[in-house]
Amino acid sequence: MVKNSHLKSRSDKISTSNEGKLDNDNFNEHEDQNNVKMTPDFIPMIRIIFWNSMGFFFFSFLIPYVTVQLLGVSKTELGVAFSIQTIGGLLSAPIVGFLTDRISRKVLILIGSFGRAACYILMYIGILVSSFVLFTAGMFVLGFFVGFFWTPLDTLISEKSNKANRSSAFGKRGGMIGKGNAIGSIISFIIFWLANTFVPENLFLVYSPLILFAASNVFGGFIFHAKVDENLTFDKHIFNLFPSSVEPSVVSKEPVISDTPLKSRNNLAIGFFIGFSVLLLAFMTSNINQMLAYPYFQVYLYDELGVIDPTLIMIIYFPSQIISLLLAPKLGKIADRINLVLGMAIVSSLGAFVTWLIINSTSGWLFGLLLLFDSTFAWGGNLILQNILSRISKIHRGKIFGAAQWLSLFGAALGPIIGGFAYDNIAPFAPFLISIFIELSVIPLYAIAIKTLKPYMTEKVDL
């Protein structure tokens, strides 16, 4: 009896020791999983953004400059030009959202790259023949095809990154935009400045960067199509690394049939619908706000602050379009570590305050510095929102990003028209003043949406 008791005691010790070792191994394996932030092809995947974004700054600079200074249209017509771009996106967003969950994302992204290239070529021809109609047709083409690029790409970014580092993943996306934008801006600035200085009447040379950027989009699309494995998701990557600790069902994209009673599922559906509807309303309102003043920054510099040299306007405008994007990876890391409601409240409040400072500035250089801060806060808010959208559902990400894009584009279509009407009929500072009130009003909307949606997110993260 004593012998048996001794053996049992020894067995318990061995068992306890083994359990402790297993627990420790499981803990270490869990820690290793948490340290994996993305799939091996994540960085090659987002490199397409470098080629795709080289023309972003030159494009955004040209729209108000060409329409108002070169073609002589009114501020309201400038607003219409911006709105035509977003109307193109409104038409394609539902289609792209549906297709993203059903066909190859690589094919959609390739189509989007070709669409942006076609836009640059149409705008170039419109400038050469002084046609506002052809110029805006190019903007419509961009709006229509831009969803073919960003919706499937955002879906892939979500699928290929750790849910705990999702804002950081989208921050890397923004950083790659910044790098491509920076290189493209330097190229376009040198060509634009030299051509305007020595042969300003030669429009072929002055606006030739548009042709270079059309080529870079086509090149980037082909490189992306060749190098990215769209079937390798983060869940599958983790399963390949740690097969013993991941349920096989996790790597499946099939929906899990819940045993939840019908009444509970109906309550869930109502709660989810309310939260998602409020989130989309806030998203749309934010885009109305962003596009209220954005088209008129350069016009305000020209009309109110007396900055008439186009090269100088480009230099003042440059930091806000580039530096904030280069800071996006750092902003993403911060966004992953803060409360989502608090984060949106901070960036919206600071954005409204900076906008108030902008309309009270008297110097072009101070105006440019404030634009940098404003753009940085806007990007911080955008990273938080991308984080939220990416974690709502795994199997319907394309539809969710498509729906969000459609409503944001609807807001972006209204914004320039409202802003242009306010600029022409109230005062030059009116679009900025309206923007302040809207930016503050969306804070409670985001708070309601985030708190309501949190229980229904398929990817939950505890901060």
Side-chain angles (χ1 to χ4, degrees), residues 208-242:
S208 60
L210 287 171
I211 300 301
L212 295 177
F213 300 144
S216 73
N217 274 271
V218 173
F219 176 77
F222 280 125
I223 293 295
F224 179 91
H225 195 75
K227 291 191 173 183
V228 175
D229 179 7
E230 63 182 322
N231 295 314
L232 179 62
T233 65
F234 182 79
D235 288 338
K236 290 179 181 178
H237 180 52
I238 289 295
F239 181 72
N240 292 334
L241 293 177
F242 310 100

Side-chain angles (χ1 to χ4, degrees), residues 245-271:
S245 61
V246 181
E247 292 291 333
S249 61
V250 170
V251 301
S252 172
K253 293 187 71 174
E254 295 300 320
V256 177
I257 299 175
S258 174
D259 292 328
T260 308
L262 181 61
K263 183 177 179 181
S264 298
R265 278 183 281 173
N266 288 339
N267 290 337
L268 183 148
I270 293 171

Side-chain angles (χ1 to χ4, degrees), residues 173-425:
R173 164 193 186 269
M176 198 60 70
I177 295 175
K179 292 176 183 178
N181 214 346
I183 299 300
S185 299
I186 293 170
I187 294 172
S188 59
F189 174 80
I190 292 172
I191 295 174
F192 186 78
W193 172 63
L194 289 175
N196 257 315
T197 301
F198 298 105
V199 284
E201 72 285 349
N202 191 331
L203 299 183
F204 287 93
L205 286 177
V206 174
Y207 300 101
S208 60
L210 287 171
I211 300 301
L212 295 177
F213 300 144
S216 73
N217 274 271
V218 173
F219 176 77
F222 280 125
I223 293 295
F224 179 91
H225 195 75
K227 291 191 173 183
V228 175
D229 179 7
E230 63 182 322
N231 295 314
L232 179 62
T233 65
F234 182 79
D235 288 338
K236 290 179 181 178
H237 180 52
I238 289 295
F239 181 72
N240 292 334
L241 293 177
F242 310 100
S244 62
S245 61
V246 181
E247 292 291 333
S249 61
V250 170
V251 301
S252 172
K253 293 187 71 174
E254 295 300 320
V256 177
I257 299 175
S258 174
D259 292 328
T260 308
L262 181 61
K263 183 177 179 181
S264 298
R265 278 183 281 173
N266 288 339
N267 290 337
L268 183 148
I270 293 171
F272 175 84
F273 176 78
I274 292 172
F276 190 60
S277 298
V278 175
L279 178 65
L280 293 183
L281 175 62
F283 211 62
M284 181 186 71
T285 307
S286 291
N287 278 271
I288 291 176
N289 169 62
Q290 288 181 15
M291 296 305 293
L292 263 170
Y294 175 78
Y296 309 103
F297 285 142
Q298 291 180 44
V299 179
Y300 192 88
L301 272 171
Y302 187 91
D303 289 347
E304 302 302 312
L305 299 182
V307 183
I308 59 175
D309 183 351
T311 305
L312 185 57
I313 291 176
M314 185 181 284
I315 294 172
I316 291 172
Y317 199 54
F318 178 83
S320 66
Q321 298 296 297
I322 307 299
I323 297 176
S324 60
L325 290 167
L326 295 176
L327 292 173
K330 297 292 184 184
L331 294 173
K333 290 180 180 179
I334 295 171
D336 280 326
R337 289 167 173 76
I338 64 172
N339 179 277
L340 298 177
V341 175
L342 179 62
M344 289 306 302
I346 290 173
V347 295
S348 296
S349 300
L350 291 175
F353 176 65
V354 169
T355 303
W356 180 80
L357 292 177
I358 285 175
I359 60 177
N360 286 282
S361 61
T362 56
S363 161
W365 298 111
L366 177 60
F367 186 92
L369 178 63
L370 292 171
L371 275 185
L372 169 60
F373 283 105
D374 188 60
S375 181
T376 301
F377 294 138
W379 257 103
N382 184 59
L383 293 176
I384 294 173
L385 292 174
Q386 295 281 17
N387 185 327
I388 296 167
L389 290 170
S390 71
R391 293 195 283 114
I392 292 173
S393 171
K394 285 186 177 183
I395 62 172
H396 298 297
R397 278 190 176 121
K399 297 183 188 69
I400 288 172
F401 279 119
Q405 185 180 29
W406 192 90
L407 283 172
S408 69
L409 288 169
F410 182 73
L414 293 177
I417 296 174
I418 297 170
F421 180 82
Y423 196 108
D424 278 336
N425 296 280

